[in-house]
């Protein structure tokens, strides 16, 4: 259903008049500053109060004093009008083929491979570019509150409408162990491994950590809790230091910048666990840019990440599929 203008409690003109009265302290003074008559200002304020359902000024004192509702509206109205005044300059910039700002949240397991080429690409299309690496959950929250324009992560926000989604890559979780450890093929062997080595976890704050914990519970495995890290670098570095093992993904290992030739990889026993990274953006907000970002990331993964993974650990590249 279309939204009618009278469904809204105010418009920008009434807010502008309201703020002028706030600044002037009197309707007559505000009217002179605005080039309006005093009755026109008084009527506009009265209609605003009626539509909001609350008094905005205490008319019993001079100069006019704001009620609590009026004080709150003054704070919010200033922000709304400031934002509205920026729209025309922004539209002019877009008309010249450039955006003023693009903000993207990037899951940290892609940072090493795509952050720099992504920054170069977006710098050609926007005056200001912000790229944030970190946990998908934080980026999803920022996208929903419109503090990000684009995110690439594990959560595709499938329950939220008005978004466009571009699949990027899928990968299978693998065991990563010290080089001299024997292959692990069964759940019993995995439990025995946990008796010899300490299990390093991804933090439960991360989507990866949550996925791995749920998968282990489905397998009936209760591995001791010990070390936890938010980042792939911490997990992989602990395994490389010896005495530890982990469940991770090939892209997480690559992101860690460790020499993975000193590590051993194996499929996890039982059903395989996979994750998919997806680009999510608001539909129609950035034109073709989200699709172009998705194509760029896929190209960098194919040309750089997969060959690097396969060269360092032959066979591990098969666990990654660019979509």
């Amino acid at each position: 259903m279309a939204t009618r203008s009278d469904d809204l409690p105010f418009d920008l003109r009434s807010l502008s008049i309201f703020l002028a009265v706030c600044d002037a302290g009197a309707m007559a003074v505000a009217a002179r500053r605005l080039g309006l008559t005093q009755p026109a200002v008084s009527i506009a304020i009265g209609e605003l109060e009626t539509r909001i359902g609350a008094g905005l000024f205490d008319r019993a004192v001079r100069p006019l004093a704001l009620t609590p509702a009026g004080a709150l509206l003054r704070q919010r109205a200033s922000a709304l009008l400031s934002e509205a005044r920026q729209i025309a300059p922004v539209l002019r910039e877009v008309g010249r083929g450039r955006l003023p700002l693009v903000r993207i949240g990037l899951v940290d397991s892609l940072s090493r491979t795509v952050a720099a080429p992504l920054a170069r690409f977006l710098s050609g299309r926007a005056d200001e570019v912000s790229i944030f690496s970190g946990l998908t959950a934080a980026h999803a929250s920022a996208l929903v509150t419109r503090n990000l324009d684009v995110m690439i992560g594990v959560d595709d926000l499938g329950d939220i409408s008005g978004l466009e989604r571009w699949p990027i890559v899928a990968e299978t979780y693998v065991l990563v162990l010290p080089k001299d450890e024997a292959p692990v093929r069964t759940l019993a062997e995995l439990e025995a491994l946990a008796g010899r080595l300490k299990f390093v976890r991804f933090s439960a704050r991360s989507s990866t950590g949550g996925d791995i914990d749920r998968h282990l519970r489905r397998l009936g495995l209760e591995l001791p809790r010990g070390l936890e890290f938010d980042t792939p670098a911490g997990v992989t570095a602990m395994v490389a230091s010896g005495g530890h093992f982990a469940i991770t993904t090939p892209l997480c290992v690559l992101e860690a910048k460790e020499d993975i030739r000193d590590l051993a990889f194996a499929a996890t026993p039982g059903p395989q666990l996979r994750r998919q990274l997806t680009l999510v953006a608001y539909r129609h907000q950035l034109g073709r840019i989200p699709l172009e970002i998705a194509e760029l990331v896929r190209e960098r993964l194919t040309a750089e990440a997969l060959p690097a993974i396969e060269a360092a650990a032959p066979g591990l590249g098969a666990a990654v599929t660019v979509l």
Side-chain angles (χ1 to χ4, degrees):
M1 180 188 301
T3 301
R4 298 179 300 134
S5 62
D6 55 3
D7 289 334
L8 300 174
F10 48 74
D11 55 32
L12 295 179
R13 179 178 180 274
S14 64
L15 289 183
S16 182
I17 292 174
F18 166 72
L19 288 177
V21 175
C22 291
D23 293 339
M27 293 191 188
V29 177
R32 287 196 298 272
R33 292 177 179 176
L34 294 171
L36 301 173
T37 65
Q38 181 174 343
V41 170
S42 180
I43 290 170
I45 295 298
E47 290 178 346
L48 181 59
E49 291 176 318
T50 298
R51 294 173 72 175
I52 289 175
L56 300 175
F57 293 101
D58 182 354
R59 292 167 172 79
V61 298
R62 292 291 182 272
L64 291 176
L66 288 168
T67 65
L72 178 60
L73 180 61
R74 182 180 191 179
Q75 180 184 32
R76 300 295 177 86
S78 297
L80 283 171
L81 286 175
S82 175
E83 188 74 20
R85 292 187 182 105
Q86 295 177 33
I87 290 177
V90 167
L91 292 178
R92 286 193 292 270
E93 287 296 319
V94 173
R96 289 195 286 268
R98 288 182 65 83
L99 294 167
L101 171 65
V102 175
R103 302 159 300 175
I104 181 167
L106 192 63
V107 65
D108 48 19
S109 53
L110 290 181
S111 295
R112 180 182 182 188
T113 302
V114 305
L118 188 56
R120 288 191 292 269
F121 167 79
L122 290 174
S123 294
R125 288 158 176 77
D127 293 329
E128 184 179 345
V129 176
S130 295
I131 298 178
F132 304 95
S133 297
L135 299 178
T136 292
H139 294 159
S141 176
L143 186 76
V144 169
T145 56
R146 295 194 179 260
N147 289 309
L148 281 181
D149 304 303
V150 182
M151 63 167 269
I152 301 176
V154 180
D155 189 352
D156 67 0
L157 301 178
D159 57 341
I160 298 178
S161 60
L163 301 175
E164 58 179 302
R165 300 170 179 87
W166 300 98
I168 301 295
V169 65
E171 55 180 346
T172 303
Y173 285 87
V174 295
L175 282 171
V176 55
L177 356 153
K179 190 74 168 180
D180 55 357
E181 279 293 326
V184 175
R185 298 184 177 85
T186 67
L187 293 179
E189 290 176 347
L190 181 56
E191 286 186 293
L193 178 70
R196 300 192 307 274
L197 304 177
K198 294 181 179 180
F199 182 54
V200 185
R201 296 176 183 268
F202 282 90
S203 166
R205 295 196 316 122
S206 69
S207 298
T208 295
D211 286 345
I212 293 171
D213 285 349
R214 285 187 292 271
H215 184 64
L216 290 173
R217 287 195 295 270
R218 285 193 294 267
L219 296 177
L221 292 174
E222 291 292 338
L223 300 184
R225 302 200 77 88
L227 290 169
E228 293 188 0
F229 293 90
D230 272 348
T231 64
V235 171
T236 307
M238 286 308 303
V239 178
S241 71
H244 301 81
F245 77 103
I247 297 175
T248 185
T249 72
L251 288 175
C252 286
V253 173
L254 182 66
E255 174 65 23
K257 301 182 181 178
E258 293 289 336
D259 187 350
I260 62 178
R261 290 171 295 184
D262 294 331
L263 302 174
F265 300 90
T268 57
Q272 299 298 290
L273 176 64
R274 287 175 65 80
R275 73 170 188 168
Q276 178 173 309
L277 303 182
T278 303
L279 182 148
V280 184
Y282 282 97
R283 190 178 299 139
H284 308 312
Q285 178 174 303
L286 296 176
R288 286 180 51 83
I289 287 180
L291 172 59
E292 292 172 347
I293 292 174
E295 291 173 340
L296 171 67
V297 174
R298 293 183 194 127
E299 186 276 329
R300 298 303 300 177
L301 289 172
T302 301
E304 182 177 326
L306 290 185
I309 291 170
E310 188 64 24
L316 186 59
V320 184
T321 304
V322 177
L323 302 174

